[in-house]
Structures are given as structure tokens and as C-alpha cells.
Amino acid sequence: METLHVVTFNIHKGFSPFKRRLTVHGLRDFLHGVGADLVFLQEVQGLHARHARSHADWPHQPQYEFFADSLWSDYAYGRNAVYDEGHHGNAILSRFPIVKWDNEDVSVSAYERRGLLHCEVEVPGWSSRLHCINVHLGLFAAWRHAQVRRLRARIEALVPADAPLVIAGDFNDWTRRAGEPLVRELGLSEVFEHVGGRPARSYPSRLPLLHLDRIYVRGFRVKIAHVHSGPRFARLSDHAALSALLSLA
């Protein structure tokens, strides 16, 4: 296998903007329609007892299992925020075996829990494991920079320099500065910058203005990068979904 199709999507815990309606079923239809090899999801609801009581069509299983269904055989969930009614975090869905995973707590504040979900994936025919890291950075610049330093340290310690690497997620970075160390120090490239010269506009989903979400890669060529936005996606989440088709370099 020489190509890899990747999607990243902040799903807003399965609700439309302003939480007007439950969107998990539409989200699953979209994800299954795209049919990516790897899906990076942020703000995934692992459990919420009150929502389960309030919504008759709330899934019986955690959202990541509900989305994976029969299309993605493997998945990993990093539980970040825990509260009385349940918990939420990041998830990675994979068509290929996830042979190892870890969720590193990189929270800077007790009021905003964040983690780095790191998976090692065995892709058929590849000589090296694929490393995937799902991120959702903090709302303040100082927090984001501290979390990127932790991300950089993790990569330097645990990801071989010749291993293919994909980092995707919600960087909350309208200043477009948080990812600079990934490019400058680690040799990654952001797929939309590679294709179009700047990160994608991904927020708000109806008419994206801010460059919040990213897909960084190392060891790949970028064939296609696409923003999934517009009225349809505004009914699903406050973020647009991003996708990229990659080939091994």
C-alpha cells in the first residue's frame, strides 16, 4: 500500500454549533462516506449519562465505537476530561492494526484537560510502523507553546527519524505560530501549507475564517488536501473537517 487517506475532525462532542441538535448519526454518515484509512477525532464523548437519558437516539456505545462500526477495525481513545456525568477526549480510528498506543497528559490548567494520543500502526507492506499523534491544544498561546514542546519531546524520544509520522488535530492556533517548531526543528510539513501556502481555514464550519486545525506529516508526499465545509458541515459541528491523501516519500 503506497497511499494513505487521513481525516481530522473536531466533532464538538456530537452536537451541532450551540448544541442545538444531536449530530452523531450525521457524523457517522459523513465519516463512512469519506472512508479514510485513518480518522483523527477531537472532543469525542466517551460517556455522558445525562445526554444518554435526554436523547432517545444517543448511541449505546461510546462515540468512537459507534463511528468505527465495521469500517475501522481498530481504534484508540484518550480520555482527557473527566466529570460527574462522564468523560471526553481524542480518538483515532484505523483500518490497520494499532499495535501500541498511549495518551500523554499535557494539561497546563486543571480547568482545561488536554492529551496527546499517540498510536503506532502496522500498515501492510510498509517497512516501518506509522506513528500517529492526535492533538487538541489549549486556548491560550502560552499553553499551546508548552504543549507543543511536550509534543516535540515525545517525538524526539519515541518516533524513529525514518518512521512515517502524521500529527493531526485542533491546534486552536489562529496566529499560525504553534506549529513552527514542528517544521523548523523536526522537519515536518503542514499539508495545506505544502499545497496552498497556508493552513486551512477551518472555523467556523459554515464559513471558515480561522486556521485552527492542522495535518502535519513527515515521510510523505501530499497528493490532495481538502477542507470539508459549508452549510452541511455547519449542521454537524462548529469545525470543518480536513482530509489529505498522502503517498510514502
Side-chain angles (χ1 to χ4, degrees), residues 4-9 30-31 34-40 166 168 190-192 195 200-202 213-215 217 222-229 233 240-246:
L4 187 76
H5 187 192
V6 173
V7 166
T8 183
F9 201 180
F30 163 70
L31 293 172
V34 172
D37 299 309
L38 285 165
V39 179
F40 296 68
V166 178
E190 205 284 323
V191 299
F192 289 88
V195 170
R201 297 182 187 272
S202 60
D213 300 88
R214 306 278 197 279
I215 301 174
V217 298
V222 183
K223 299 173 73 69
I224 301 171
H226 182 66
V227 182
H228 303 264
S229 62
F233 296 96
L242 306 183
S243 65
L245 184 63
L246 311 171

Side-chain angles (χ1 to χ4, degrees), residues 21-214:
R21 68 183 70 86
L22 183 67
T23 62
V24 288
H25 299 275
L27 286 165
R28 185 172 69 169
D29 289 344
F30 163 70
L31 293 172
H32 283 216
V34 172
D37 299 309
L38 285 165
V39 179
F40 296 68
L41 300 174
Q42 303 85 47
E43 293 195 21
V44 178
Q45 197 77 67
L47 174 70
H48 200 292
R50 180 168 54 82
H51 291 334
R53 293 192 300 269
S54 302
H55 299 273
D57 53 350
W58 186 263
H60 295 296
Q61 68 266 61
Q63 287 180 351
Y64 53 91
E65 292 186 13
F66 176 74
F67 296 138
D69 197 22
S70 60
L71 193 58
W72 292 280
S73 59
D74 283 41
Y75 47 78
Y77 169 66
R79 183 171 60 180
N80 295 332
V82 181
Y83 29 84
D84 290 343
E85 293 287 348
H87 49 81
H88 70 266
N90 298 336
I92 293 177
L93 315 180
S94 175
R95 288 186 184 271
F96 314 116
I98 297 175
V99 295
K100 184 177 181 181
W101 71 273
D102 178 49
N103 191 55
E104 179 181 348
D105 185 352
V106 292
S107 304
V108 178
S109 166
Y111 298 101
E112 187 185 80
R113 309 305 301 179
R114 298 295 196 225
L116 304 176
L117 178 60
H118 182 180
C119 294
E120 296 183 31
V121 179
E122 291 277 10
V123 181
W126 291 18
S127 59
S128 300
R129 287 181 180 176
L130 169 64
H131 287 254
C132 303
I133 305 178
N134 191 347
V135 307
H136 186 185
L137 300 185
L139 292 174
F140 295 102
W143 296 1
R144 293 193 294 272
H145 293 310
Q147 289 159 352
V148 169
R149 286 194 295 272
R150 296 280 297 276
L151 173 59
R152 176 186 168 191
R154 183 175 189 87
I155 293 168
E156 291 176 334
L158 299 176
V159 181
D162 60 348
L165 171 63
V166 178
I167 302 170
D170 179 358
F171 276 65
N172 265 319
D173 179 33
W174 51 91
T175 67
R176 297 163 56 179
R177 295 177 182 171
E180 289 177 356
L182 303 178
V183 176
R184 185 178 61 249
E185 307 296 338
L186 298 179
L188 283 91
S189 61
E190 205 284 323
V191 299
F192 289 88
E193 289 186 354
H194 179 82
V195 170
R198 64 181 182 182
R201 297 182 187 272
S202 60
Y203 184 90
S205 53
R206 179 175 293 275
L207 185 63
L209 298 173
L210 300 180
H211 310 80
L212 297 192
D213 300 88
R214 306 278 197 279

Side-chain angles (χ1 to χ4, degrees), residues 2 126 162 164 218-222 246-249:
E2 294 298 324
W126 291 18
D162 60 348
R218 190 171 69 187
F220 291 98
R221 291 185 293 271
V222 183
L246 311 171
S247 62
L248 280 175

